[in-house]
Amino acid sequence: MQREGPCSHMTDIDVITSAVEEFQLLYTALEKNGVSVNLFHHELYHGTPDAVFPNNWFSTHRNGDGSYDLVLYPMAHPSRRRERRPDMIDFLGKLGGASPRRTIDLTNCEEDAVYLEGTGSMVLDRVHKIAYAVLSSRTDDALFKKFCDEMGYRAVGFTAKGNMYHTNVMMSVGTGYAAVCFDHIASEDEAAALNKILKQSGKKVVPISIEQCNSMCGNVLELRDGSGELFLAMSDRAYRTFTPQQLYTLLQTVDHIVHPEYNVIESLGGGSVRCSIAEIF
């Protein structure tokens, strides 16, 4: 296989070995911070080369009464659909020993080539119930609005320049921050409207450049550690690409930042740390 960039010298075995090592670094970092990680192994015979990014095909949503909802999403590529393994769906249907209050299965939309790829397509502000999405061939506008109607979210859709396949590559929203690549948004009016909504919801807005977006500064995720403190998970490349002032702003909203090396997965997989974590609520 011919590769370009920092992985051009690597054989297939080198790539697999390095990717597994990087994923182990992320797993270890999360465990050290008191995050309970449910790890599933995908073998070559599963035919799921992108399974390192599980956040695209499902999401869970905790309700006020303690019950939860499970959403299954339509995926554009057949190999991504194979990630919806029966054993994993069975696990998601028994969280905490209980069944979901609702299972919203959108996967039949694949028959009509209509897609909404989970929390890759959507960035969810779970505190204020606002869903942000770059509308694209992998994020259908009508299906996005249907999700928001079903789940009680306000839908904020916008368009991006070029081939921005997933919203979570250019944008991350936490409890108190929003890191956004406004330069990727198609119009100044859309960018200004998005910025206004974020500020109205109390976020400290951290604009990131296209270069920073390419270094996965938008693909970061807020988590809660074992002591209840909020922290950010991101790749080491993203961490080193943020400016000191941007990191200072982010650290006003979280306790600390975890940043394992993730170079090979980022370079060849098209996603980073956020994509590798599917949260369970």
Side-chain angles (χ1 to χ4, degrees):
M1 179 184 293
Q2 185 68 36
R3 299 185 182 89
E4 298 179 357
C7 301
S8 59
H9 64 288
M10 301 177 72
T11 67
D12 289 352
I13 295 299
D14 290 336
V15 167
I16 293 171
T17 301
S18 296
V20 169
E21 290 174 350
E22 288 178 354
F23 194 79
Q24 182 63 44
L25 287 174
L26 174 60
Y27 174 81
T28 301
L30 296 178
E31 288 267 300
K32 283 184 176 179
N33 278 272
V35 177
S36 177
V37 180
N38 299 287
L39 191 61
F40 286 82
H41 293 277
H42 289 258
E43 305 295 344
L44 289 176
Y45 65 80
H46 285 125
T48 53
D50 295 306
V52 70
F53 304 134
N55 73 304
N56 297 134
W57 65 265
F58 80 90
S59 64
T60 63
H61 304 263
R62 187 64 57 177
N63 301 306
D65 60 2
S67 66
Y68 72 99
D69 297 329
L70 171 64
V71 186
L72 303 176
Y73 295 99
M75 305 295 293
H77 296 289
S79 66
R80 301 305 312 272
R81 300 169 193 172
R82 289 194 290 270
E83 295 174 28
R84 300 190 300 253
R85 286 172 21 193
D87 60 326
M88 297 179 71
I89 294 176
D90 184 63
F91 168 81
L92 293 169
K94 298 176 181 177
L95 298 180
S99 299
R101 185 185 69 175
R102 294 186 300 170
T103 296
I104 300 171
D105 188 347
L106 305 174
T107 60
N108 61 347
C109 294
E110 292 167 353
E111 298 173 6
D112 299 314
V114 172
Y115 311 115
L116 183 68
E117 299 189 328
T119 55
S121 288
M122 302 177 291
V123 171
L124 303 180
D125 179 348
R126 292 178 182 258
V127 176
H128 295 94
K129 303 284 280 188
I130 304 173
Y132 301 93
V134 173
L135 305 177
S136 70
S137 61
R138 288 159 68 175
T139 304
D140 180 77
D141 185 24
L143 193 54
F144 169 53
K145 289 174 180 173
K146 177 180 178 180
F147 165 87
C148 290
D149 287 343
E150 288 275 0
M151 303 304 295
Y153 276 77
R154 174 186 176 186
V156 179
F158 53 95
T159 53
K161 302 172 186 175
N163 182 28
M164 183 53 62
Y165 53 94
H166 276 164
T167 312
N168 74 355
V169 175
M170 60 166 288
M171 180 178 186
S172 172
V173 173
T175 303
Y177 78 89
V180 187
C181 184
F182 291 105
D183 292 339
H184 262 310
I185 297 177
S187 74
E188 291 183 4
D189 287 345
E190 284 185 297
L194 176 60
N195 192 33
K196 181 178 179 180
I197 292 169
L198 291 167
K199 288 184 174 179
Q200 286 176 339
S201 62
K203 310 302 181 190
K204 291 182 182 291
V205 178
V206 179
I208 59 176
S209 67
I210 290 177
E211 179 184 1
Q212 289 178 312
C213 184
N214 292 338
S215 294
M216 299 297 175
C217 290
N219 202 242
V220 308
L221 181 65
E222 180 187 83
L223 297 167
R224 197 174 294 276
D225 67 17
S227 63
E229 296 284 355
L230 295 173
F231 72 96
L232 276 185
M234 65 179 69
S235 72
D236 190 62
R237 179 166 65 143
Y239 181 79
R240 289 184 286 104
T241 308
F242 277 114
T243 68
Q245 181 58 50
Q246 288 171 325
L247 290 173
Y248 174 78
T249 301
L250 292 171
L251 284 167
Q252 288 181 308
T253 70
V254 297
D255 182 70
H256 59 284
I257 297 173
V258 171
H259 50 98
E261 186 174 310
Y262 228 56
N263 293 337
V264 170
I265 292 175
E266 286 179 329
S267 298
L268 297 180
S272 187
V273 165
R274 192 279 167 264
C275 292
S276 292
I277 303 171
E279 314 99 291
I280 298 219
F281 289 89

